[in-house]
Amino acid sequence: MEIKRRTTRRIMIGNVAIGGGAPVSIQSMLVTRTADIVASMAQINALHQAGCELIRIAIADEQDAQAVEALKRQSPLPLIADIHFDHKLALTAIAGGIDALRINPGNIGSEANVREIVAAVRERMIPIRIGVNSGSIHPDLLRRYGLSAGAMVESALQHVHILERLSYHEIKISVKASHLGLTLDSYRLLSQRCDYPLHLGLTEAGTEFKGMIKSSIALGILLSEGIGDTIRVSLTAEPEREIAVAQALLQTLGLRRGLDIISCPTCGRTRINLITLTQQVEDALKHLADMPLTVAVMGCAVNGPGEAREADYGIAGGEGEGLLFAKGRIVGKYPEQVLVRELVKLIEEHSGDRS
């Protein structure tokens, strides 16, 4: 399936392009107190290692805002300041070198405050995300539209128009809800009403397991329709888990290339410890996560040899042993205990050969 992505404007957050045909980027958010430089940098580095590309930080008070400068000096990734209510915190973060802002002009005070922010970001063309959540829609819009996609999108566009009146267009938008249908309807409607890049996500997706399913459905549907330029999979879990889910989602949709491990479910025909074997393969190949390879781990002779031959490399299990395949050819038969070691050796020896 080839996804035809919606055409959007392009903005830059640090060195990461958003929209305009750029790859869908992956975001997460620190759970540390921003002002705790040591803890925040530890989490930034962990997210970077996990494959995160943009990091949002909460700016709750002046200490958090003052910490931006130190974090920017050390961070390997662009930082986005999440700010509500106090526009002066945005000004401090901008002075500290922040790469982007997430604000809601409706709760940042008067339009004069928004004008002050725009004047500060204009020189460096710092993007502003208009982030609308279903729980923070103005009562007037709720009375007019009810809790609906119409209310979400109208709220977002009213805020966008404030920036447009100031001739500022370095904008991306999100219209997040915790309800799946409302999220889908809101992003679909918004994508018809403007060409700004869109940040996809759910507000409260839930614990790791349920949140993974809910986010994958919502984001997967929208991305498959060509909607979305940057994503966050929000989980009540360690932020690094969000990155793993996001990467798997983008790879499954064909929006990002990387290591793809396919494995069959176990059944009564399986005579090899397939669950353990597959996990061992996944762990052993983590260092090749960005390599565009398909590796098959199959448990029996019914699907195993055929599926393994279709992959770049593969294992087809037997009773206490397995066959190794490379690009459709049987390489050899090995005892179960050494299959993973021999597979890794095989891939590393031939990874330069993509013929």
Side-chain angles (χ1 to χ4, degrees):
M1 176 183 71
E2 184 175 352
I3 294 173
K4 184 177 180 181
R5 294 180 59 201
R6 165 180 169 268
T7 302
T8 57
R9 304 182 188 208
R10 176 170 290 197
I11 61 173
M12 296 296 298
I13 300 181
N15 61 355
V16 178
I18 309 293
V24 177
S25 58
I26 298 172
Q27 303 189 23
S28 187
M29 188 170 184
L30 298 190
V31 300
T32 56
R33 168 79 188 276
T34 302
D36 186 339
I37 305 295
V38 173
S40 294
M41 278 309 307
Q43 195 160 85
I44 287 171
N45 288 327
L47 284 166
H48 181 223
Q49 287 295 113
C52 186
E53 292 155 331
L54 297 163
I55 292 180
R56 184 155 46 111
I57 57 177
I59 306 296
D61 54 31
E62 186 62 25
Q63 283 184 303
D64 287 343
Q66 292 289 347
V68 167
E69 185 174 4
L71 293 175
K72 272 298 302 173
R73 281 199 303 268
Q74 302 175 61
S75 176
L77 297 174
L79 301 180
I80 303 166
D82 190 292
I83 296 169
H84 297 274
F85 309 116
D86 188 350
H87 81 290
K88 292 181 179 178
L89 297 179
L91 298 177
T92 302
I94 294 164
I98 203 70
D99 296 293
L101 298 175
R102 188 270 181 160
I103 65 168
N104 185 328
N107 73 19
I108 210 75
S110 67
E111 194 161 323
N113 292 346
V114 179
R115 283 198 298 272
E116 200 171 347
I117 291 173
V118 170
V121 298
R122 195 183 296 278
E123 181 180 351
R124 286 176 44 220
M125 301 292 281
I126 297 171
I128 295 174
R129 170 159 72 96
I130 303 301
V132 174
N133 290 343
S134 58
S136 58
I137 299 173
H138 195 280
D140 290 346
L141 291 174
L142 289 176
R143 282 192 291 270
R144 183 177 173 186
Y145 295 100
L147 182 55
S148 64
M152 296 276 283
V153 171
E154 192 61 34
S155 178
L157 293 180
Q158 282 185 3
H159 298 153
V160 167
H161 294 333
I162 295 173
L163 299 181
E164 290 178 331
R165 287 197 296 272
L166 297 170
S167 299
Y168 200 71
H169 299 91
E170 300 302 303
I171 298 168
K172 64 184 169 83
I173 312 172
S174 65
V175 280
K176 297 183 180 183
S178 56
H179 186 274
L180 184 66
L182 179 56
T183 298
L184 296 177
D185 290 345
S186 298
Y187 277 107
R188 286 166 172 159
L189 180 59
L190 181 59
S191 71
Q192 297 168 8
R193 296 280 302 275
C194 73
D195 65 352
Y196 290 110
L198 301 184
H199 167 75
L200 302 188
L202 293 164
T203 47
E204 296 94 16
T207 55
E208 183 172 350
F209 178 70
K210 288 192 174 182
M212 185 187 312
I213 295 171
K214 194 171 181 180
S215 290
S216 296
I217 293 171
L219 274 60
I221 289 172
L222 291 169
L223 289 167
S224 70
E225 294 175 2
I227 298 171
D229 302 283
T230 180
I231 64 172
R232 181 192 176 192
V233 175
S234 299
L235 301 175
T236 309
E238 291 300 317
E240 295 89 333
R241 298 300 301 152
E242 298 182 353
I243 307 307
V245 177
Q247 288 174 332
L249 176 60
L250 293 177
Q251 286 183 17
T252 301
L253 290 168
L255 291 170
R256 183 169 294 217
R257 299 191 71 191
L259 179 65
D260 184 18
I261 297 175
I262 58 174
S263 58
C264 63
T266 60
C267 72
R269 290 186 296 267
T270 304
R271 295 293 180 265
I272 198 168
N273 191 339
L274 186 63
I275 296 174
T276 299
L277 181 65
T278 305
Q279 187 60 59
Q280 288 173 344
V281 169
E282 186 172 80
D283 292 342
L285 297 180
K286 279 182 178 177
H287 64 296
L288 302 177
D290 295 329
M291 186 172 289
L293 290 176
T294 300
V295 177
V297 186
M298 298 294 151
C300 75
V302 174
N303 293 324
E307 295 286 353
R309 286 194 186 98
E310 290 297 315
D312 294 299
Y313 300 94
I315 295 173
E319 187 162 359
E321 62 185 10
L323 297 176
L324 287 190
F325 290 82
K327 300 177 178 23
R329 300 187 300 272
I330 296 176
V331 174
K333 182 186 290 186
Y334 299 92
E336 180 176 354
Q337 302 93 302
V338 300
L339 273 171
V340 175
R341 184 189 71 198
E342 294 300 321
L343 175 68
V344 173
K345 186 191 302 184
L346 178 67
I347 293 172
E348 290 180 342
E349 286 176 353
H350 297 88
S351 59
D353 176 15
R354 301 292 298 142
S355 58

